[in-house]
Amino acid sequence: MEEAVQKEYFELLRFRSVGADPAALRDCADCALWWKAWLERLGFAAELVMPPVKGGVAAPPVVLAERPGTEGAPTLLFYGHYDVQPADPLDAWRTPPFEPVEKDGRVYCRGAQDDKGQSFAFLCGVRDFLADAQGPVPSLKVVLEGQEESGSAALSALAPGLRRRLAADVLLVCDTNAAPALRPAIVAGLRGVCHFTVRLTGPDRDLHSGEYGGIAPNPAQGIAALVASLHNPDGSIAVKGFLDGVVPPSAEEAAAAEAGMPDAAAFAADIGCPPEGGAQGHSLAARNAFEPTIEVNGIHSGYAGAGSKTIIPAGAFAKISMRLVPGQTPQRAFAAVKAHLEAHVPRGLKLAFEEWSPGAGGFRLPLASPVFRLAQQVLEEMDPRGPVFQWEGASIPVISLLREVSGAAPLIVGWGQATDRIHAPNESYGLDQFAKARAWGRRIVSEWTF
Amino acid sequence: MEEAVQKEYFELLRFRSVGADPAALRDCADCALWWKAWLERLGFAAELVMPPVKGGVAAPPVVLAERPGTEGAPTLLFYGHYDVQPADPLDAWRTPPFEPVEKDGRVYCRGAQDDKGQSFAFLCGVRDFLADAQGPVPSLKVVLEGQEESGSAALSALAPGLRRRLAADVLLVCDTNAAPALRPAIVAGLRGVCHFTVRLTGPDRDLHSGEYGGIAPNPAQGIAALVASLHNPDGSIAVKGFLDGVVPPSAEEAAAAEAGMPDAAAFAADIGCPPEGGAQGHSLAARNAFEPTIEVNGIHSGYAGAGSKTIIPAGAFAKISMRLVPGQTPQRAFAAVKAHLEAHVPRGLKLAFEEWSPGAGGFRLPLASPVFRLAQQVLEEMDPRGPVFQWEGASIPVISLLREVSGAAPLIVGWGQATDRIHAPNESYGLDQFAKARAWGRRIVSEWTF
C-alpha cells in the first residue's frame, strides 16, 4: 500500500466511531466529515444528512454523495458504514483498539475490516479507476451510515424520503466475507430478520416455592413450555402458518449452496459442538441458506446465583429472533408466531410482547442475472478459481430496504475472512485482502463505462 | 411485656447475626454467647459447639444447652435459630433494620419474628415456668443454630455426632405461622426438599444467530425443551418413577387440610394471579400439602438486555427444586429426575448436574398421637377456637434430621402471621403474638411435669 493511502486509511481508523454509543456522537460526526471531504476530492457533491433527533438523542449523520457520470451511463450506488463495534473488552487487545498497527502484513485496529477497511479499500479502487479513466464513466452515488452495527435506524427512517437521490442500477456492497483461502464469493441472498421480546407474568412477587408450590403458576416453567412449543421434536418449526409461501431454492441455487458449504466436521471444529441445529431432513447448506429459523437469543427467569433460592419467580421473558426467507414477510411471520404464543399461554400466566422490530425480509437474487454474470467474469479474471455463491444466513437489514428504495440490483462481494475477528478484540485486515477489495472496486466500476 | 424482658429482647435483636454472611461471623458468635449466658442464668449447662472449618471458612457456632429435670421426667428438646435473613434492600426499611422500634403494638426489626422473636418468646415462657415450678420439672435441652436461613449445613453435619446429647421425647419448634387471625396451628407435616442446577452447553462461544442459525444447536431452546419435559400439559409430573411410593393422606388428614385451607379467591388475592399451579384434578390443599412438586426456581441463557442481540448462546442453566412427601426420598427423587433429564438431552448439547443438595425427606405426623392430643388440649385452653392442623409445603430441612437423631416427636407450633413480613424489609412481630408464644412455651412445658 502506498504511504499516502496508508496515511488516509489510518486517519479513518483512528476515529472512535462507535455508532451505538451516544458519547461517541462527535467522533462519528468527525468521521463522517472526513469521508465527506475525501469524496469531494474525488469530484463528488457530498453532504451530511442529519437524522431526526429521536427522544432527545441525536444519531450519527449519513454521508450522501453523488458524482454525475457520462450522459446515459448507468448509476452505481455504493453502500458502506463508518461505525464500528464497541472496543470492549479492552484488556483483550494487544494494541490500542483505535491506533492502527501494521504487523506481519495485517493492520490491527477496530474497524480495520468491518466496514471502514473494506469500504475504504473499495472506494480507493474507485479512485484508481477515476484517476485513469480516459473515456465515459458511470454515475456514482455513495451512502455511508453510522449505525449499521446498532440497527441502521436513522438510514432506515431516511431512505424512503431519499428514493430519487438513491435511485441506481446496481447496489455495490463490500461488507461480507470471501470464501476460505480468499476465494471470491458473491452473496446471492440474505435471510431477513425480525425480533421481539415475549414476557410472562404470574405472581405479583417472587414466592417461596415451598409455601406456594402446587398453588402458584410458575413463570419460569411457563416460559420454558411456551418457547419449547415453537419447535417440534425433530427441530422443525411448529408454528402454524409460519412457513406459508416459503419459496424453495432452485436446483441451481441448491447445488451452488451445497458446493460452497463446509462439511459437518468443519462446522463441528468451528463451533465446538455437533452442528445439529435446525430441522432434521435438510442438509446443512439448506438449513443455513434456505430455511427460516426461530431462535431464542435469551431466556431469563428467577434466581441465577450460586446455590439455591427456592422461589417461584414473579415473571419471565424470552428474546426471540426469526430469520426469514423469500416468500415470508416480517409482518406475517411475526403474526403467526404471536398467534401461536397467544394460543399456548400456560394456565394462570399473562403474556405480553415488547420490542418488536419492523424487521426486514430476505431475498435471493437470480444467479443468471446480467449483473452476476458480469461479476463472475471479473472475479474469474482476478482469481482463476472463480467465485462461489453464498447465501448469508445473517441479514444486513438495510440492504433489503436500499434495494427496494434504489431499485438497484445488489452486488455484494466482500473480502473478509474468519481470521479478521470482526466484532472481537484485535480485529485486523490483511494487506492482501485490502488489495483484493481495492482491485475489485476498480475493475467492477470500470465494467460500466461502455 | 415487662421492661426487663423487652431489654433482653432488644439486646438479642441488635446482633447483626446474618448467618449467611462470612463478614457477620463475629456478630453471630456474639449472639450465640448472649444466648449461652441467658440459658446459664436459667440453670442450663450451655456451650458453643464450633462447626468444623470448611474450605477455610468458619461457620456460626451452635448453642447446645441442657438442664436436667426431675429423675424419670421426660426430656424436651427445643430447636430454634438465632441467624436472620440479610437486611437488604436497606432503603426499603422505615427504621434501621437492626435497631428494634416498638410502634402500635408491634416491634420492628430484622429477626423480630423469624426466629429470634419466636424462640425468645417461647423460652421466656419456659423461664416463667421454671420460676414458678413447685414440683417436678422435665429435662430440658436447647439447640440454637446460626445457619437456618442458609441451609443448616453446620448443624446438619454435627447432628449425627450429637445423637446422645440430643436424645429427647418431644422436639419443640416455634418457627412457623399460626392460622389467620392468630388461631393456633399445629404443623402436622413438612414437605422435604432437594435442589440442583442443570446445565446445558453447546457452542464454545456465543454465535451469530444469522450466520449459524439452522446449524448450531441452541442451548436456550434446549433448556426450555428439557425443563418443559418435566411436566405434562395438565401440570402433573412427567418423570417416570418420581411418584413411586408416595403415601396418600388419610381421610382425616385430607379433611383437616381442606378445613385449614383458604379458598382460590383468597389465594388469588394473596399472590396476584390465579392459583393454577400444580396438577389439575387435585384440590388446592392437596396440591400444597400432599403432592410433591418440581419447580424451576431460575432459568437463564443468553442475552438479557434491552433490544436485541441475535445470538445462539453458548450455554444455559436451570435451577430446580423438588418438594417431597412421605414415601419419597431425596436420593430416589433426584435419581428419577436425573435419569429423565439425561434421556431428554436435546440433540447436539451436553448435560451436566451441579450443586445437588443432599436434601431432606418430608414427613407427616399421626394426628391422633399423644403429643398432638396434649397440644390440642393446651391450645384449646388458650383459644376457644382450638387449633387447626397445617401441612407446610415449605420444609425446615434440619427438623427432619433432628427428628431422626433425637428420636423425639416433633411439636411445631408457631405464632407468625403473614403481616410479619419475615425475610422482607420492615419485619415485625406483634406484642400479642409474643405473648401467645410465651404463654404457649410456659404451658406446654408444664404439661410434662407430672
Side-chain angles (χ1 to χ4, degrees), chain A residues 48-387:
Chain A
L48 302 192
V49 183
M50 301 308 297
V53 173
K54 235 174 114 175
V57 179
V62 172
V63 181
L64 204 58
E66 192 165 352
R67 186 184 189 284
T70 312
E71 174 90 25
T75 300
L76 311 181
L77 169 64
F78 178 79
Y79 162 80
H81 64 92
Y82 65 80
D83 63 315
V84 295
Q85 285 274 321
D88 54 290
L90 290 177
D91 55 7
W93 285 80
R94 283 183 298 267
T95 55
F98 288 101
E99 181 51 47
V101 172
E102 188 187 324
K103 198 184 169 218
D104 301 333
R106 302 189 68 80
V107 172
Y108 291 84
C109 192
R110 169 61 79 227
Q113 194 253 61
D114 177 22
D115 184 40
K116 283 177 174 174
Q118 298 228 77
S119 53
F120 178 69
F122 184 95
L123 290 171
C124 280
V126 173
R127 177 169 63 179
D128 296 339
F129 159 74
L130 291 173
D132 282 354
Q134 307 287 333
V137 295
S139 286
L140 296 171
K141 294 180 175 180
V142 172
V143 58
L144 298 167
E145 68 156 321
Q147 281 186 319
E148 195 273 345
E149 302 291 2
S150 55
S152 301
L155 179 55
S156 297
L158 291 168
L162 299 171
R163 199 171 282 272
R164 196 189 47 76
R165 296 181 63 184
L166 293 172
D169 299 294
V170 180
L171 171 61
L172 292 157
V173 181
C174 189
D175 192 22
T176 51
N177 278 1
L182 215 50
R183 181 173 174 184
I186 299 173
V187 172
L190 295 173
R191 287 197 288 196
V193 70
C194 176
H195 65 80
F196 62 94
T197 298
V198 60
R199 192 174 292 274
L200 282 179
T201 47
D204 57 16
R205 61 194 184 277
D206 289 354
L207 297 174
H208 191 295
S209 72
E211 286 176 32
Y212 291 96
I215 292 178
N218 185 321
Q221 287 164 219
I223 201 80
L226 197 60
V227 155
S229 76
L230 293 168
H231 293 86
N232 298 309
D234 68 355
S236 62
I237 289 169
V239 176
K240 203 180 147 198
F242 184 77
L243 297 169
D244 286 359
V246 162
V247 179
S250 67
E252 191 191 5
E253 287 172 325
E258 298 296 339
M261 200 71 175
D263 65 8
F267 267 112
D270 173 8
I271 67 179
C273 71
E276 301 198 356
Q280 291 193 304
H282 295 275
S283 71
L284 271 172
R287 274 145 53 201
N288 190 236
F290 306 125
E291 292 292 315
T293 64
I294 302 179
E295 296 281 358
V296 178
N297 311 121
I299 182 169
H300 295 276
S301 177
Y303 184 60
S308 115
K309 186 177 181 190
T310 50
I311 53 166
I312 295 174
F317 66 92
K319 293 189 165 273
I320 296 177
S321 62
M322 305 173 268
R323 297 289 164 171
L324 306 173
V325 300
Q328 297 180 296
T329 67
Q331 294 75 14
R332 285 206 313 274
F334 177 66
V337 171
K338 186 165 179 283
H340 174 98
L341 294 173
E342 284 168 346
H344 286 78
V345 181
R347 260 195 320 285
L349 302 176
K350 273 194 192 152
L351 181 74
F353 291 89
E354 300 168 3
E355 304 181 308
W356 177 52
S357 70
F363 62 83
R364 290 204 296 273
L365 304 167
L367 301 188
S369 73
V371 168
F372 277 10
R373 282 220 305 276
L374 185 68
Q376 276 180 288
Q377 186 188 313
V378 171
L379 291 167
E380 259 163 32
E381 287 165 14
M382 287 177 64
D383 187 320
R385 291 173 296 181

Side-chain angles (χ1 to χ4, degrees), chain A residues 191 193 195 197 201-205 207-218 220-221 223-228 231 233-236 261 267 269-280 283-284 287-288 291 293-313 316-317 319 321 323 347-349 355 392-395 422-423, chain B residues 177 191 193 195 197 201-205 207-218 220-221 223-228 231 233-236 261 267 269-280 284 287-288 291 293-313 316-317 319 321 323 347-349 355 392-395 422-423:
Chain A
R191 287 197 288 196
V193 70
H195 65 80
T197 298
T201 47
D204 57 16
R205 61 194 184 277
L207 297 174
H208 191 295
S209 72
E211 286 176 32
Y212 291 96
I215 292 178
N218 185 321
Q221 287 164 219
I223 201 80
L226 197 60
V227 155
H231 293 86
D234 68 355
S236 62
M261 200 71 175
F267 267 112
D270 173 8
I271 67 179
C273 71
E276 301 198 356
Q280 291 193 304
S283 71
L284 271 172
R287 274 145 53 201
N288 190 236
E291 292 292 315
T293 64
I294 302 179
E295 296 281 358
V296 178
N297 311 121
I299 182 169
H300 295 276
S301 177
Y303 184 60
S308 115
K309 186 177 181 190
T310 50
I311 53 166
I312 295 174
F317 66 92
K319 293 189 165 273
S321 62
R323 297 289 164 171
R347 260 195 320 285
L349 302 176
E355 304 181 308
E392 294 255 323
S395 50
I422 65 169
H423 294 206
Chain B
N177 279 0
R191 287 198 288 196
V193 70
H195 66 80
T197 299
T201 47
D204 57 16
R205 62 193 184 278
L207 298 174
H208 192 295
S209 72
E211 286 177 30
Y212 292 96
I215 292 178
N218 185 322
Q221 285 162 222
I223 201 79
L226 196 60
V227 156
H231 293 86
D234 68 356
S236 62
M261 200 70 175
F267 266 111
D270 173 7
I271 67 179
C273 70
E276 302 198 357
Q280 292 194 303
L284 273 171
R287 274 144 53 201
N288 192 237
E291 292 292 315
T293 64
I294 302 178
E295 296 280 359
V296 178
N297 310 121
I299 182 170
H300 295 275
S301 178
Y303 185 61
S308 117
K309 186 177 180 190
T310 49
I311 53 167
I312 295 173
F317 66 91
K319 294 191 165 270
S321 62
R323 298 288 163 171
R347 260 195 320 284
L349 302 175
E355 305 180 307
E392 293 255 324
S395 49
I422 65 171
H423 292 206

Side-chain angles (χ1 to χ4, degrees), chain B residues 77-419:
Chain B
L77 170 63
F78 177 80
Y79 163 80
H81 64 92
Y82 65 81
D83 63 315
V84 295
Q85 284 274 321
D88 55 292
L90 291 176
D91 55 7
W93 285 81
R94 283 183 297 268
T95 55
F98 289 100
E99 182 51 49
V101 172
E102 188 188 324
K103 196 184 171 215
D104 301 333
R106 302 189 69 77
V107 173
Y108 291 84
C109 192
R110 170 59 80 227
Q113 194 252 63
D114 177 22
D115 181 47
K116 283 176 172 173
Q118 298 229 75
S119 53
F120 178 68
F122 184 95
L123 289 170
C124 280
V126 173
R127 178 168 62 180
D128 296 340
F129 159 74
L130 290 172
D132 283 353
Q134 307 287 333
V137 295
S139 286
L140 297 170
K141 295 180 174 180
V142 171
V143 59
L144 298 167
E145 67 156 321
Q147 282 186 318
E148 195 273 344
E149 302 291 2
S150 55
S152 299
L155 180 55
S156 297
L158 291 167
L162 300 171
R163 199 170 284 271
R164 197 191 47 76
R165 296 182 62 185
L166 293 172
D169 299 294
V170 179
L171 171 61
L172 292 157
V173 181
C174 188
D175 193 21
T176 50
N177 279 0
L182 215 49
R183 181 172 176 188
I186 300 173
V187 173
L190 295 173
R191 287 198 288 196
V193 70
C194 177
H195 66 80
F196 63 94
T197 299
V198 60
R199 191 174 291 273
L200 282 180
T201 47
D204 57 16
R205 62 193 184 278
D206 289 355
L207 298 174
H208 192 295
S209 72
E211 286 177 30
Y212 292 96
I215 292 178
N218 185 322
Q221 285 162 222
I223 201 79
L226 196 60
V227 156
S229 76
L230 292 168
H231 293 86
N232 297 310
D234 68 356
S236 62
I237 290 169
V239 176
K240 204 180 144 197
F242 184 79
L243 297 169
D244 287 358
V246 161
V247 179
S250 68
E252 192 190 5
E253 288 172 323
E258 298 296 341
M261 200 70 175
D263 66 9
F267 266 111
D270 173 7
I271 67 179
C273 70
E276 302 198 357
Q280 292 194 303
H282 296 275
S283 71
L284 273 171
R287 274 144 53 201
N288 192 237
F290 306 126
E291 292 292 315
T293 64
I294 302 178
E295 296 280 359
V296 178
N297 310 121
I299 182 170
H300 295 275
S301 178
Y303 185 61
S308 117
K309 186 177 180 190
T310 49
I311 53 167
I312 295 173
F317 66 91
K319 294 191 165 270
I320 296 177
S321 62
M322 304 172 270
R323 298 288 163 171
L324 306 172
V325 300
Q328 297 180 296
T329 67
Q331 293 75 15
R332 285 205 313 274
F334 176 66
V337 172
K338 187 166 178 281
H340 174 97
L341 293 173
E342 284 168 345
H344 287 77
V345 182
R347 260 195 320 284
L349 302 175
K350 272 193 194 157
L351 181 75
F353 292 89
E354 299 168 4
E355 305 180 307
W356 176 52
S357 70
F363 62 84
R364 290 204 295 271
L365 304 167
L367 301 187
S369 73
V371 167
F372 277 9
R373 283 218 307 275
L374 185 68
Q376 277 179 286
Q377 185 189 314
V378 171
L379 291 167
E380 260 164 30
E381 286 166 16
M382 288 176 66
D383 187 321
R385 292 173 295 180
V388 296
F389 285 109
Q390 287 181 344
W391 287 265
E392 293 255 324
S395 49
I396 312 176
V398 77
I399 294 184
S400 279
L401 181 65
L402 287 178
R403 177 187 180 220
E404 182 210 314
V405 167
S406 68
L411 178 54
I412 307 166
V413 175
W415 303 90
Q417 295 279 267
T419 43

